[in-house]
Every structure is written in structure tokens, then in C-alpha cells.
Amino acid sequence: MKNKCSKYEGLFVFSDDETLKNHLLECEECRKEQEKMDRVSELIGEVKFHYRSKAKHKPILKAACILMLLLFSTASIGIIGNYEDMVDTIQYGETLSAEDLGFPVDSYGLIVVDE
């Protein structure tokens, strides 16, 4: 029984191209293994375009998310800056009432509605 050649992986990974080519001329098993690797490389080459085209949209999506975050945070800071008294009320644990929000209220704290 003939032993299988196990040099292909070591030569492919650790040696230079010339040494691998010389070994492929001598060894039929390693030549078959190289043919398999070439077919896989061809398949990868065929689908490479599709993966790269999908990857081009990711930076645009990231930039859009960052811009939306900046827009939201800027608007939030602007609103909070205009209502400092409300922020202080919320910060110190008091609950907001209709009177705190500027609505006309009666003696019970209910909003007064004029007819």
C-alpha cells in the first residue's frame, strides 16, 4: 500500500512558489490538491464582485446613522437648554404637575378649561 503524500499543506504555507512548483511536477496527489485549490480560487474570484458591491453601502449607512445621531443629540440639547427650570425640577426628583408646565389650574390642581 502506497502512503499518501502529506507535503502539500506544508509546502503551500511555508515554502516559496518555486519549491511548490517543483514538488507538483513530481507528485500526482499534490497536483490534484493544487487543482482543487485553483478551482476554489476561481469560484472566489467569480463572487468577489458581489461581496464588494454590498460592502460599498456600509460606509454610507454608517455615515447616515452618525448624522442622524448628531441631529438628534443637537436637537435634544437645544430643547433642554431652553427649559432649564424643567431640567432642574426633573433632576432633583420632584414630579412635574400641570402648573409646572404652565397650564392654568384650579385649587385641586386640575387643568382649567374655559368654554
Side-chain angles (χ1 to χ4, degrees):
M1 184 162 112
K2 184 180 172 186
N3 291 335
K4 287 184 98 178
C5 181
S6 60
K7 293 181 182 179
Y8 179 77
E9 185 178 348
L11 290 172
F12 183 78
V13 174
F14 296 111
S15 72
D16 58 349
D17 289 338
E18 190 64 35
T19 308
L20 180 62
K21 287 179 184 178
N22 289 336
H23 180 73
L24 290 175
L25 292 173
E26 300 168 2
C27 182
E28 180 67 29
E29 291 178 18
C30 292
R31 202 172 315 128
K32 288 180 183 177
E33 196 68 30
Q34 180 66 30
E35 288 173 4
K36 288 180 189 176
M37 293 293 282
D38 290 340
R39 281 185 272 163
V40 169
S41 295
E42 289 173 9
L43 288 173
I44 290 172
E46 287 179 19
V47 298
K48 179 172 50 174
F49 171 74
H50 299 292
Y51 286 110
R52 286 191 179 168
S53 65
K54 289 180 183 177
K56 288 181 183 178
H57 299 296
K58 288 184 181 180
I60 295 170
L61 183 62
K62 287 180 184 178
C65 289
I66 290 171
L67 287 174
M68 289 301 293
L69 178 67
L70 287 173
L71 181 68
F72 179 74
S73 63
T74 304
S76 299
I77 290 172
I79 291 170
I80 291 173
N82 290 337
Y83 298 104
E84 291 179 11
D85 56 338
M86 186 184 301
V87 173
D88 289 339
T89 304
I90 294 170
Q91 184 177 3
Y92 295 113
E94 296 177 11
T95 54
L96 292 175
S97 65
E99 189 176 17
D100 293 334
L101 296 173
F103 293 109
V105 294
D106 60 4
S107 61
Y108 295 108
L110 300 173
I111 297 175
V112 176
V113 180
D114 294 327
E115 290 184 28

